[in-house]
Amino acid sequence: MLKVPFLDLRVTDSVERGEILTAIETVLDHGRILLGPEVDELERRVAARTGREYAVGCNSGTDALIIALRALRIGPGDEVIVPALSFIATANAVSLVGATPVFGDLNDDLNISIESVASLVTPATKAVIPVHWAGRMCDMGALSDLARHKGLHIVEDASQAFDASIGDRKAGDYGIISCFSMNSMKVFASLGEAGILVTDDPQLHERCVSLRYHGLVNREFCTELAQNSRLDTLQAATLLVRLRRLDNVIETRRQNARYLNGRIEKYVDVPRESEGQRHVYYTYTIQADRRDDLSRYLAAQEIETKIQHPLLMPQHPVYAGRARGTWQKADRLIKRVLCLPSNEKLTAEQLARVADAVSEFYRS
Ligand SMILES: Cc1ncc(COP(=O)(O)O)c(C=O)c1O
């Protein structure tokens, strides 16, 4: 039986492999291994691509979020509104700086509901972290209006949405600081762990650079406690190669999604784009009746799926019983979500198997 893996992290394209090896050899030759020229170039390119002034490469998306919150001096006594559904890093970043995450409910598109954010604002709320779930952007126009009206910072968690857009504005263009993860599972992926943050504010940029490396200023004076969160030059070199290939990767994912939508939309709720929206399909997430039976049926046919995530963030043991916020709708939605394989490495035959199997399940 032709297996359909959810993701394949091997570098199977020989041209890409050659380009990555050459980029790594360049680093081995110049020897500027820590914050080398590839980090500078990646920062310049990501800033330009997201329409921002500055970028700061970090060793993970989690650290980018922590640095962003610390740069904004968010800490104990402060509340930060986050969506109930995200990878746990979003809430943990808030908790790790000593602030309190307050969990907001979702819309049908699995992004945070702006009405829910409005209902959760208190005098202690300092910021909101929208997460562009699965690669589709939140309604940033409405959220920006609300944040302006309430005096809140927006810190975008665009970890899953590099290069997603609405109209001519990209993910990462709205936050006072915006953060991306480039861990190896992402659409724009390193060969390991990596993250980056972007901003337009020169002072915040300076502070983020300092917080990225032990709170040092001018590399010599430690002004506040911080960890080592620097981006590896070797990862930056890989990311520069991958950045050149990114348009093709995203276009293939979008074609795959269009194909699946056309084949299975009569059986399940498929991901859709609103007017002007460009979804980058970090995951192709459907909402399905009899979700668990469907996922077992697909597994029996060697089609690998993922549930992202079986638990909302406030339901994890670390938050359960003490989490604040509202997530009734989110709780209903996550019982229906299923991510199907749709990545750019799948063959037409594999993709057709996914569509056939979903159709057979609901017809039988
Ligand atoms: C929405 C979201 N936020 C934060 C992170 C954390 O990023 P990293 O794994 O690079 O620390 C991830 C990564 O999976 C993510 O998907």
Side-chain angles (χ1 to χ4, degrees):
M1 201 183 279
L2 177 66
K3 286 190 184 178
V4 187
F6 187 73
L7 207 56
D8 177 2
L9 298 185
R10 291 172 303 161
V11 182
T12 48
D13 178 320
S14 59
V15 178
E16 181 187 28
R17 182 182 282 242
E19 289 177 9
I20 290 174
L21 291 174
T22 304
I24 289 173
E25 278 182 357
T26 304
V27 178
L28 300 186
D29 283 341
H30 68 55
R32 281 169 284 161
I33 306 283
L34 298 174
L35 293 187
E38 287 79 2
V39 175
D40 294 340
E41 188 181 342
L42 183 75
E43 290 177 345
R44 271 196 307 277
R45 287 185 186 275
V46 168
R49 194 151 177 145
T50 51
R52 308 303 300 260
E53 289 296 322
Y54 308 101
V56 180
C58 303
N59 63 358
S60 70
T62 307
D63 278 26
L65 284 167
I66 291 171
I67 290 170
L69 294 169
R70 289 198 61 191
L72 294 166
R73 301 186 194 280
I74 290 171
D78 297 334
E79 294 175 3
V80 178
I81 300 172
V82 298
L85 175 64
S86 183
F87 178 55
I88 196 69
T90 313
N92 284 357
V94 175
S95 302
L96 284 165
V97 302
T100 303
V102 176
F103 299 95
D105 216 338
L106 303 182
N107 298 317
D108 289 326
D109 68 356
L110 305 175
N111 279 330
I112 195 163
S113 142
I114 311 299
E115 294 75 43
S116 170
V117 175
S119 75
L120 293 171
V121 176
T122 72
T125 312
K126 290 292 179 312
V128 53
I129 305 184
V131 178
H132 305 305
W133 191 246
R136 178 168 48 180
M137 279 179 71
C138 301
D139 181 354
M140 291 309 294
L143 187 64
S144 301
D145 289 345
L146 176 71
R148 205 173 309 113
H149 180 64
K150 301 278 187 188
L152 308 179
H153 291 309
I154 292 179
V155 175
E156 278 177 84
D157 181 348
S159 289
Q160 303 186 353
F162 192 91
D163 239 30
S165 55
I166 300 180
D168 59 0
R169 291 189 70 179
K170 289 204 171 170
D173 191 18
Y174 288 86
I176 182 158
I177 305 178
S178 301
C179 303
F180 299 91
S181 164
M182 290 95 76
N183 76 31
S184 46
M185 286 172 8
K186 296 295 184 278
V187 180
F188 177 38
S190 65
L191 290 175
E193 306 281 0
I196 201 160
L197 60 83
V198 293
T199 184
D200 291 332
D201 183 313
Q203 275 153 5
L204 283 176
H205 169 243
E206 211 172 286
R207 205 163 136 65
C208 289
V209 169
S210 164
L211 287 167
R212 172 175 68 176
Y213 193 49
H214 287 290
L216 286 170
V217 172
N218 296 333
R219 300 189 181 212
E220 289 300 336
F221 304 100
C222 175
T223 53
E224 60 187 313
L225 293 179
Q227 305 198 27
N228 178 359
S229 304
R230 293 182 296 185
L231 173 64
D232 270 331
T233 304
L234 286 170
Q235 295 298 0
T238 306
L239 284 161
L240 285 168
V241 172
R242 293 238 159 121
L243 194 57
R244 292 199 293 272
R245 309 174 72 86
L246 189 63
D247 285 340
N248 283 341
V249 170
I250 292 174
E251 193 39 46
T252 309
R253 284 186 179 236
R254 287 171 54 75
Q255 273 169 18
N256 291 353
R258 279 195 290 272
Y259 169 79
L260 288 175
N261 278 3
R263 292 279 323 271
I264 65 176
E265 65 191 350
K266 39 185 181 303
Y267 306 112
V268 296
D269 293 331
V270 295
R272 304 216 177 263
E273 291 172 329
S274 60
E275 184 70 28
Q277 203 171 39
R278 181 171 185 262
H279 192 331
V280 295
Y281 295 99
Y282 166 58
T283 57
Y284 178 85
T285 301
I286 60 168
Q287 295 177 39
D289 294 338
R290 297 165 52 213
R291 187 268 316 265
D292 292 336
D293 290 341
L294 173 62
S295 110
R296 274 191 290 272
Y297 181 82
L298 296 175
Q301 308 218 19
E302 307 226 52
I303 297 172
E304 193 186 355
T305 62
K306 287 231 160 21
I307 295 174
Q308 260 167 351
H309 292 280
L311 285 185
L312 297 170
M313 292 195 292
Q315 296 167 336
H316 282 258
V318 69
Y319 295 112
R322 64 183 184 91
R324 292 184 22 219
T326 159
W327 53 84
Q328 289 88 337
K329 181 167 178 176
D331 198 32
R332 283 200 306 278
L333 291 174
I334 57 157
K335 296 186 172 76
R336 287 171 46 83
V337 298
L338 188 66
C339 309
L340 302 180
S342 77
N343 68 75
E344 69 282 358
K345 285 189 186 150
L346 297 182
T347 62
E349 204 184 346
Q350 285 174 312
L351 213 54
R353 277 209 64 216
V354 176
D356 290 344
V358 172
S359 311
E360 281 156 19
F361 173 80
Y362 284 104
R363 279 204 307 258
S364 63

